[in-house]
Amino acid sequence: MTSLDFPARPARPSDADRERALHLLREGAAEGRLSQDTFLRRLELVLTAQQHSELSLATADLETRGRVQGALLRAVGRVSAFHLRIRRAWRTERLPKLMLPVPGPIPLSIGRAPGAGLRLNHETVSRTHAELRSEGSGWMLRDLGSTNGTCVNGLRVVGEVPVGPGDHISFGTMDYVLTER
């Protein structure tokens, strides 16, 4: 008997195929599109499937709806974020300017304390809030464990970050735009 005499069987689903199907089931359950019982029944079908068609039956309604829903959610997200970008741009243009000091060996301390180099008298600014120091041809900003945080361009400072002219800096709720002399 030659190999041509045996009937050809379809390939069994691979582990990667099963993982894709399980991923779709998990997403469907997390989004509330599958009840707990339906999820468990389909989970068993996916794990015991002998053919690709069985996997397709278990996830058919999740695949098509997921693509359309994903595209719709991305479109809504872009439209929703548009007004935030406009507000950020408008707000940045109107922010007070904070002029970078003359570079020197001593860092500029920022806070509410009377001895601070840049004293910001606001309740959201800590007594010793941050420190700005020159390094080479640039500047480094470090948060000193302030309660309300220091942000650069909307991202909270952890450790030390480089800053320069045009950067949006926040000490608590006090916002500034860095400028050069």
Side-chain angles (χ1 to χ4, degrees), residues 77-168:
R78 284 192 296 269
V79 170
S80 298
F82 183 70
H83 81 280
L84 294 175
R85 288 188 302 231
I86 289 175
R87 184 185 313 165
R88 189 176 302 129
W90 173 259
R91 187 174 175 213
T92 300
E93 285 298 317
R94 302 181 70 197
L95 286 177
K97 300 195 180 342
L98 179 62
M99 197 173 305
L100 288 166
V102 175
I106 300 172
L108 174 68
S109 61
I110 302 164
R112 262 192 357 233
L118 175 61
R119 189 166 182 210
L120 302 173
N121 195 16
H122 194 267
E123 66 269 4
T124 61
V125 178
S126 298
R127 291 176 59 75
T128 54
H129 197 98
E131 182 178 83
L132 182 68
R133 67 179 176 80
S134 64
E135 182 175 286
S137 62
W139 293 90
M140 299 297 283
L141 181 67
R142 181 169 60 118
D143 185 78
L144 299 175
S146 63
T147 304
N148 294 309
T150 303
C151 295
V152 175
N153 298 324
L155 300 174
R156 188 151 183 165
V157 173
V158 177
E160 200 170 47
V161 296
V163 294
D167 283 338
H168 174 194

Side-chain angles (χ1 to χ4, degrees), residues 30-47:
E31 293 170 357
R33 295 177 10 206
L34 295 175
S35 68
Q36 181 70 20
D37 292 336
T38 305
F39 173 75
L40 292 175
R41 273 189 269 121
R42 289 187 184 189
L43 180 67
E44 187 175 340
L45 284 172
V46 167
L47 294 175

